Amino acid sequence: MESATILILKEIKEYIEFLRNHMISTGAEFGFHHERTIKASQELDYVIYKYQVIQRRILA
């Protein structure tokens, strides 16, 4: 695995952690059924999905 790929995966993992914290704080402020929280959750889900796709391609 190239070091550039490892760096990209590391950056995505950091972004995932940022999005997770953002979703939690949004939920705490507005409620977990609020549109903003749901949107934050959907963005987090999408980035996690993309991360998994990249991981599968690297391991294949």
Side-chain angles (χ1 to χ4, degrees), residues 3-26:
S3 60
T5 304
I6 293 171
L7 181 60
I8 290 169
L9 287 175
K10 182 180 178 192
E11 290 173 350
I12 295 172
K13 284 174 87 172
E14 290 172 0
Y15 187 54
I16 287 170
E17 190 60 32
F18 167 79
L19 290 174
R20 182 178 289 122
N21 290 330
H22 173 70
M23 180 191 68
I24 291 168
S25 64
T26 302

Side-chain angles (χ1 to χ4, degrees), residues 42-57:
Q42 290 170 338
E43 183 178 4
L44 174 60
D45 290 345
Y46 177 77
V47 174
I48 290 172
Y49 168 75
K50 286 298 191 181
Y51 178 81
Q52 291 172 338
V53 168
I54 292 169
Q55 272 191 318
R56 281 190 217 117
R57 287 184 183 166

Side-chain angles (χ1 to χ4, degrees), residues 32-47:
F32 290 102
H33 297 291
H34 192 276
E35 182 179 336
R36 289 184 186 186
T37 308
I38 293 169
K39 191 168 191 119
S41 176
Q42 290 170 338
E43 183 178 4
L44 174 60
D45 290 345
Y46 177 77
V47 174

